[in-house]
Amino acid sequence: MSDVIKLLPAHIANQIAAGEVVQRPASVVKELIENSIDAGATHINLVAKDGGKTLVQVIDNGSGMTDVDARMSFERHATSKIAKADDLFALSTKGFRGEALASIAAIAHVTLKTKTHDAELGTVIVNEGSKIVSQEADMCKNGTSIAVKNLFFNVPARRNFLGKNTTEYRKITDEFMRVALVHPDIEFTFHHNDDEIYNLPKGNIRQRIVQIFGKAFNERLVPVNEETDIVKISGFVTKPEFAKSKSDQSFFFVNNRYFKDRYLNHAITNAYEDLIPSGKYPPYFLYFDVPTQSIDVNVHPTKTEIKFEENQAIYAFLRSAIKQALGQFNVAPTLDFELEQSFVTPALKAGETVKVPEIKVNPDFNPFNTSKASSTKSPGVSGNKGAHGFSKIQPDKNVWENFYDDAKSEEVDKEKSEIQHNEVTLSSSLDNEAGDEVSIEKKKPVQINDKYILSSLKNGFILIDQFRAHCRILFDNLMMADHSNEVQKLLFPETILAEKQDVPIWKEILDDLNELGFDLEIENCEIVINGQPVQAKEENPVRLLTQIFEAYKLTEQNEELDVKSRLAISTASGLAIKGGKTMTIEEMEHMIDALFASSSPQLSPHGKKIIETFTMDEIFKRFN
Ligand code: ADP
Ligand code: MG
């Protein structure tokens, strides 16, 4: 047999290796910015298009490269940062593997422009899929600009694997923030498509946090500053009342690198103990300084885990440092967290209380009367739909079947078949005292614990979760059709000042929000609210929309549901009456009627159980 082993051509080897370093546009952003920092830049501009799929470009005013180095920089294992193995243990640079540029060039169209400060002319190199297409001397600014176009152009499978532009954009933003937060002494800008997302002048850590997360953060920050022999911890945690439902503002850095650590994260949760409920996360920005020998720096370039030698000691020290910081600033919670946890409450100012939305019911609504539209109208509502979200819903007979299947009573089964044949009988049974006993009995519903509605059946009873039931009713109504022509106009438009990095997300969901009954426009970073869904009635539009947006961001990874459904779920959750609200008998009766007229009375739009059935058989057994 002849010899079969061959060395792979360099460009194929590079393409394979590239997979390790470059997973997505955000990896390119990380590598390029880190190179700029290593090159001593004090000014770094990031430009991305279409979530980085079309373009990622980083322009810096760092050292630049000579023409020979520029050519070399694309070679695998070409680095200026280490020369011998020992150097690995005294690293002061972010890169050292010499892999990033080789990897990026293997799977993209790269244009490198660079000039050292003492050279007259710079160098421009075009590299496409590891092939140098051209190299020329040219006028260039001091420093380096690297433009990476058409990522994965030659690996279609990888390209298809990328997320939506907004998903990739968010990952780029995360990567950008992670670097910007450790280098407040470097000026950064970030442009995405035509939007300026960040423009961060030089400052200190506190100023950088505020530049990125907004002015409101200034008063939320609690400084942490502790030092022992093994570690120095500095940075900020936040007052407990500003804890969020998402842990996306949790940042650990060690020796100026971002890292994730669930164990140390637990130390923080633990330090906050009773100050915040579970499921809430306090934003934090904590910087560890340890001797370089005490962590393993030789981690994979894309990995964010770091192994500390003295993990347990650091845990204990971190916990006490935070407890002390919180204690020193006499930080006490001011938020009532007893509210429905399934919905995000925006951060409130101290002393402000949470308003429980009123129940919105249409007293005239009869779920089985489909011929006449409901009669109540809100001011400014056009069309003949009721303002309460309960109108025009077709009763679903299957719903009643399933419902009574649960009760497993022969008698009910018999009666059920009668319902199927005679809807009119059922309808009247709901309305008058002489009603058929198959229907929910004429006995009045009872509210339990201000959270559940107990409704008697002939053969038992059901418990209905009031919040989930109302979510279902509102959700169906919001999803029913395009509501954009029956908006409740506001007398005076209101505005929300969006955070810069959120603007592309607002743009993405604007049409769907308008279909759900909002009337919104975007002007730069301002979301102008001209109107809101009629179901929202007197609800504060800014508060409602902020809640919807926050909740939407939480479900952004959920690609199973379309955008409109996800927005409708958060709108419904925001408007639905929460557990803890006392309801009148009429309100409960109307809610029950509307629930059974909805598309899916058993399941809330979040997929949670709305109704629990208790049969007499079960109850008898309990008394045996
Ligand atoms: P590493 O950063 O691990 O050394 P890279 O592939 O990222 O490897 O870069 C290769 C080399 O190219 C670097 O060691 C550096 O000398 C040079 N280089 C890359 N980017 C820049 C830049 N923005 N400014 C100056 N030199 C750069
Ligand atoms: Mg590098």
Side-chain angles (χ1 to χ4, degrees):
M1 185 177 146
S2 56
D3 299 336
V4 288
I5 298 180
K6 294 187 205 76
L7 270 182
L8 286 175
H11 72 278
I12 297 185
N14 280 343
Q15 202 169 313
I16 295 168
E20 306 236 319
V21 181
V22 186
Q23 267 100 42
R24 52 190 353 130
S27 337
V28 176
V29 168
K30 174 174 185 278
E31 295 297 337
L32 295 186
I33 295 186
E34 288 190 350
N35 279 345
S36 298
I37 294 171
D38 286 345
T42 55
H43 197 124
I44 299 175
N45 300 325
L46 166 65
V47 181
K49 289 214 160 76
D50 305 323
K53 291 180 197 170
T54 314
L55 172 75
V56 170
Q57 182 172 15
V58 171
I59 305 157
D60 69 49
N61 65 348
S63 64
M65 287 177 261
T66 64
D67 53 352
V68 174
D69 280 352
R71 183 81 180 227
M72 271 291 277
S73 69
F74 288 110
E75 296 298 320
R76 189 161 296 279
H77 309 306
T79 180
S80 54
K81 299 170 194 174
I82 53 171
K84 51 187 192 303
D86 274 358
D87 294 349
L88 264 181
F89 300 98
L91 267 182
S92 59
T93 54
K94 294 187 184 269
F96 58 88
R97 296 162 173 268
E99 279 184 320
L101 286 187
S103 297
I104 293 167
I107 41 90
H109 296 149
V110 180
T111 305
L112 163 71
K113 295 183 186 177
T114 188
K115 179 173 116 47
T116 57
H117 293 235
D118 52 7
E120 276 193 14
L121 279 181
T123 307
V124 180
I125 297 183
V126 178
N127 185 331
E128 298 186 344
S130 301
K131 290 192 191 70
I132 304 275
V133 176
S134 65
Q135 171 161 8
E136 286 160 11
D138 205 345
M139 301 284 290
C140 296
K141 283 196 194 146
N142 287 343
T144 304
S145 153
I146 301 186
V148 178
K149 292 185 200 144
N150 310 321
L151 197 65
F152 298 129
F153 78 97
N154 51 359
V155 202
R158 298 287 306 277
R159 194 167 170 90
N160 294 338
F161 193 69
L162 294 176
K164 287 183 302 189
N165 288 358
T166 43
T167 311
E168 297 303 331
Y169 160 78
R170 280 181 64 82
K171 299 210 182 271
I172 290 178
T173 313
D174 286 346
E175 220 48 85
F176 176 85
M177 288 194 295
R178 289 169 188 177
V179 202
L181 280 169
V182 268
H183 294 282
D185 49 333
I186 298 178
E187 207 172 318
F188 285 94
T189 66
F190 173 21
H191 288 83
H192 183 251
N193 294 341
D194 296 325
D195 300 317
E196 180 184 86
I197 310 297
Y198 291 110
N199 186 341
L200 313 174
K202 270 187 197 185
N204 56 28
I205 295 276
R206 177 188 273 271
Q207 287 163 332
R208 185 50 56 93
I209 294 171
V210 171
Q211 288 162 1
I212 293 179
F213 296 102
K215 286 204 183 74
F217 256 80
N218 198 21
E219 53 160 336
R220 300 180 188 175
L221 297 175
V222 178
V224 179
N225 257 313
E226 296 290 337
E227 191 168 355
T228 65
D229 295 345
I230 51 165
V231 61
K232 175 172 177 283
I233 302 177
S234 59
F236 298 90
V237 291
T238 47
K239 297 176 187 169
E241 65 265 38
F242 299 108
K244 302 176 44 167
S245 308
K246 204 177 171 187
S247 58
D248 62 343
Q249 290 174 351
S250 312
F251 294 89
F252 279 135
F253 304 95
V254 60
N255 298 358
N256 285 347
R257 274 168 198 273
Y258 170 82
F259 74 102
K260 283 188 188 137
D261 195 313
R262 292 181 57 177
Y263 178 65
L264 292 183
N265 181 60
H266 186 265
I268 296 191
T269 323
N270 196 303
Y272 275 82
E273 259 181 339
D274 302 330
L275 295 176
I276 51 173
S278 65
K280 293 272 174 183
Y281 308 90
Y284 59 80
F285 313 87
L286 292 169
Y287 301 76
F288 296 73
D289 277 303
V290 297
T292 37
Q293 317 86 276
S294 74
I295 47 169
D296 181 5
V297 289
N298 201 11
V299 281
H300 191 274
T302 60
K303 292 249 169 71
T304 46
E305 285 85 24
I306 285 218
K307 185 121 187 57
F308 287 101
E309 253 171 34
E310 318 237 21
N311 225 354
Q312 288 183 1
I314 292 181
Y315 179 103
F317 183 60
L318 174 64
R319 206 188 99 190
S320 82
I322 290 172
K323 279 194 152 192
Q324 193 164 343
L326 290 174
Q328 218 166 36
F329 280 75
N330 204 4
V331 173
T334 58
L335 230 195
D336 175 12
F337 282 109
E338 289 312 301
L339 279 163
E340 182 64 44
Q341 289 295 319
S342 56
F343 191 69
V344 193
T345 330
L348 297 181
K349 295 199 181 70
E352 196 180 349
T353 54
V354 179
K355 182 177 149 226
V356 180
E358 287 168 52
I359 178 165
K360 284 113 188 172
V361 288
N362 175 357
D364 299 324
F365 178 67
N366 172 350
F368 300 102
N369 184 351
T370 52
S371 59
K372 87 174 181 285
S374 67
S375 55
T376 318
K377 278 189 199 171
S378 276
V381 179
S382 59
N384 62 357
K385 250 178 235 170
H388 306 291
F390 292 179
S391 62
K392 277 202 178 166
I393 302 172
Q394 300 290 329
D396 179 352
K397 276 170 272 173
N398 289 328
V399 162
W400 290 90
E401 286 176 48
N402 295 342
F403 178 49
Y404 282 100
D405 276 353
D406 282 355
K408 293 208 176 57
S409 147
E410 274 181 35
E411 199 177 342
V412 169
D413 270 331
K414 190 183 109 234
E415 307 273 10
K416 181 183 74 186
S417 59
E418 280 170 22
I419 300 171
Q420 287 170 339
H421 294 115
N422 194 348
E423 202 182 308
V424 182
T425 314
L426 175 60
S427 163
S428 60
S429 78
L430 278 170
D431 290 342
N432 64 54
E433 287 279 301
D436 190 307
E437 51 201 8
V438 180
S439 69
I440 290 179
E441 280 202 342
K442 50 224 167 219
K443 291 206 182 76
K444 301 288 183 206
V446 180
Q447 198 182 15
I448 297 182
N449 221 1
D450 282 352
K451 192 168 179 353
Y452 301 102
I453 301 170
L454 184 153
S455 180
S456 304
L457 306 175
K458 175 161 184 266
N459 203 35
F461 64 88
I462 53 171
L463 283 181
I464 298 173
D465 182 306
Q466 67 191 44
F467 170 74
R468 293 179 186 175
H470 201 197
C471 278
R472 163 55 64 197
I473 295 161
L474 288 166
F475 174 82
D476 275 21
N477 191 258
L478 286 164
M479 287 298 287
M480 253 193 319
D482 184 346
H483 290 254
S484 44
N485 49 7
E486 48 165 289
V487 176
Q488 174 180 298
K489 290 275 183 198
L490 300 184
L491 221 45
F492 303 102
E494 304 232 25
T495 51
I496 295 178
L497 187 61
E499 287 184 33
K500 276 184 187 163
Q501 78 269 22
D502 287 341
V503 171
I505 306 171
W506 280 106
K507 285 186 178 164
E508 188 195 45
I509 64 177
L510 195 78
D511 288 346
D512 288 303
L513 283 169
N514 286 342
E515 268 188 31
L516 290 174
F518 283 94
D519 179 351
L520 309 175
E521 291 164 317
I522 299 190
E523 289 167 11
N524 301 322
C525 277
E526 289 198 342
I527 316 300
V528 184
I529 315 174
N530 299 310
Q532 64 177 350
V534 292
Q535 293 89 342
K537 292 187 92 186
E538 304 302 314
E539 187 66 37
N540 174 334
V542 172
R543 182 188 297 260
L544 175 66
L545 200 60
T546 311
Q547 286 180 338
I548 292 170
F549 187 74
E550 285 300 317
Y552 173 76
K553 285 206 289 187
L554 284 182
T555 65
E556 220 196 357
Q557 303 304 332
N558 178 354
E559 308 238 320
E560 280 164 34
L561 282 179
D562 60 64
V563 173
K564 187 175 169 187
S565 305
R566 282 185 275 151
L567 289 169
I569 291 177
S570 11
T571 312
S573 313
L575 293 175
I577 61 152
K578 311 290 187 282
K581 170 81 166 72
T582 310
M583 293 172 73
T584 67
I585 289 175
E586 288 72 37
E587 285 171 338
M588 289 190 275
E589 285 174 340
H590 288 301
M591 183 180 275
I592 295 170
D593 290 348
L595 176 65
F596 283 101
S598 73
S599 65
S600 172
Q602 301 283 357
L603 276 190
S604 78
H606 310 86
K608 298 249 176 74
K609 184 194 275 188
I610 298 177
I611 300 175
E612 185 62 86
T613 310
F614 299 83
T615 64
M616 282 318 291
D617 283 353
E618 289 170 42
I619 297 163
F620 288 145
K621 272 188 207 134
R622 288 188 172 245
F623 284 93
N624 271 341

